[in-house]
């Protein structure tokens, strides 16, 4: 892979700074990618698998690797003129296809991924040693493709499945030791996301190398989580939901115009 790709990876990794976090407004297709990439305040681009799946008319759990790669190819092409880093939500890594997936992504100029620790095939968590080894496998593959500074945002869903924060910390530290740049802890929708005390505890445990999901309503603000010391903030599928709601509103107005014509 070209030196330019690893240069983008280095740029991307350097943006993960505790207390001055990288803010990612996740994208899902060519037009959303171009729109966000064109903003001067946008420093990097990130996909959200749920939004990618919704754009394809399917559920997040049904998104296949070929479908994810197809969307990534479109997005990577759309943002190429802007020369900004791109990271991809790779879900649980697609089992035995993990190395293949990383090779394909690197060939598209992708410099990072989200990697979940919940195995969708078994509907259970990967055992901790296996989950940490998967982080190493990603980085080994990327290094072999000429991108030694590839970024892994290792996602831990323990809290979302009713587990304890003690296990989150144990897993997160193992992922960081395996080479992950940050640990993304998802609080889950039913429990209302992460609480301030949990964010503080995780920031301390991970030396600030924490990634969190921003809730635009009834959650901690960007300034609040920045002050606590997180390194990365993302929106997930929120932008897509807002866009679709606006489309629905405008279309409803148009349908309500009756016999009016231009």
């Amino acid at each position: 892979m070209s030196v330019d790709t690893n240069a983008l990876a280095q740029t991307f990794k350097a943006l993960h700074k505790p207390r001055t976090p990288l803010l990612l407004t996740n994208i899902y297709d060519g037009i959303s990618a171009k729109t966000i990439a064109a903003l001067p305040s946008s420093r990097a681009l990130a996909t959200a698998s749920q939004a990618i799946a919704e754009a394809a008319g399917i559920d997040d759990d049904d998104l296949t690797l070929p479908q994810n790669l197809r969307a990534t190819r479109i997005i990577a092409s759309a943002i190429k003129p802007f020369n900004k880093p791109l990271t991809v939500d790779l879900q649980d890594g697609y089992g035995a296809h993990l190395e293949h997936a990383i090779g394909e992504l690197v060939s598209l100029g992708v410099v990072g991924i989200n990697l979940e620790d919940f195995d969708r095939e078994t509907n259970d968590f990967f055992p901790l040693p296996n989950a940490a080894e998967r982080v190493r496998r990603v980085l080994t593959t990327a290094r072999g493709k000429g991108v030694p500074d590839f970024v892994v945002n290792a996602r831990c869903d323990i809290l979302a499945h009713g587990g304890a924060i003690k296990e989150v910390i144990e897993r997160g530290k193992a992922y960081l030791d395996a080479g992950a740049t940050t640990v993304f802890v998802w609080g889950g929708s039913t429990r209302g996301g992460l609480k301030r005390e949990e964010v503080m505890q995780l920031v301390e445990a991970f030396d600030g190398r924490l990634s969190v999901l921003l809730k635009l309503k009834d959650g901690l603000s960007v300034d609040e989580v920045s002050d606590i010391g997180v390194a990365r903030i993302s929106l997930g599928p929120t932008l897509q939901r807002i866009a679709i709601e606006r489309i629905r509103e405008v279309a409803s107005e148009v349908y309500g115009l009756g016999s009016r014509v231009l």
Side-chain angles (χ1 to χ4, degrees):
M1 187 49 52
S2 69
V3 175
D4 287 345
T5 300
N6 195 58
L8 275 178
Q10 291 174 331
T11 296
F12 186 50
K13 182 174 285 190
L15 291 173
H16 294 74
K17 299 177 181 178
R19 297 192 179 278
T20 311
L22 171 64
L23 180 59
L24 296 165
T25 51
N26 304 74
I27 55 171
Y28 49 89
D29 61 8
I31 187 61
S32 65
K34 286 176 65 175
T35 301
I36 299 302
L39 296 175
S41 54
S42 163
R43 297 182 290 175
L45 286 300
T47 69
S49 69
Q50 184 173 340
I52 293 285
E54 290 287 350
I58 58 177
D59 292 333
D60 191 21
D61 288 342
D62 296 327
L63 183 68
T64 66
L65 175 57
Q67 289 170 321
N68 204 344
L69 290 175
R70 189 178 305 118
T72 300
R73 191 170 292 109
I74 293 169
I75 289 168
S77 177
I79 68 171
K80 190 172 183 179
F82 300 96
N83 198 35
K84 293 184 177 182
L86 172 64
T87 183
V88 166
D89 185 347
L90 199 60
Q91 299 184 303
D92 66 356
Y94 304 99
H97 302 290
L98 180 60
E99 280 82 1
H100 169 70
I102 298 305
E104 290 293 310
L105 291 176
V106 169
S107 73
L108 294 174
V110 173
V111 297
I113 62 164
N114 269 28
L115 185 64
E116 300 172 9
D117 60 358
F118 189 81
D119 186 347
R120 297 177 185 225
E121 282 190 12
T122 64
N123 200 36
D124 199 0
F125 287 94
F126 290 101
L128 179 52
N130 295 27
E133 180 59 26
R134 291 167 75 248
V135 174
R136 295 189 189 93
R137 285 168 57 192
V138 168
L139 296 173
T140 297
T141 302
R143 188 178 303 112
K145 298 292 183 179
V147 189
D149 292 292
F150 197 82
V151 170
V152 175
N153 187 37
R155 173 169 159 172
C156 184
D157 284 2
I158 293 293
L159 291 179
H161 288 262
I165 197 165
K166 179 180 179 181
E167 186 176 356
V168 175
I169 291 173
E170 180 185 13
R171 280 180 169 263
K173 286 184 174 180
Y175 302 159
L176 292 170
D177 288 343
T181 298
T182 45
V183 177
F184 172 42
V185 179
W186 186 46
S189 55
T190 57
R191 71 191 297 274
L194 293 177
K195 301 174 177 59
R196 174 186 288 273
E197 295 75 17
E198 292 170 334
V199 176
M200 294 175 67
Q201 192 172 351
L202 292 167
V203 163
E204 181 177 2
F206 300 155
D207 295 323
R209 293 173 291 174
L210 176 66
S211 173
V212 298
L213 184 68
L214 178 68
K215 295 175 63 180
L216 295 184
K217 295 181 179 179
D218 304 321
L220 297 173
S221 69
V222 171
D223 287 343
E224 286 175 316
V225 293
S226 298
D227 289 342
I228 293 172
V230 304
R232 175 166 166 165
I233 304 168
S234 59
L235 276 180
T238 299
L239 280 187
Q240 185 188 61
R241 290 171 181 167
I242 293 172
I244 294 304
E245 182 56 35
R246 183 58 182 149
I247 290 172
R248 183 183 294 111
E249 290 174 358
V250 173
S252 296
E253 292 175 4
V254 171
Y255 285 130
L257 292 178
S259 60
R260 290 180 57 185
V261 295
L262 295 178

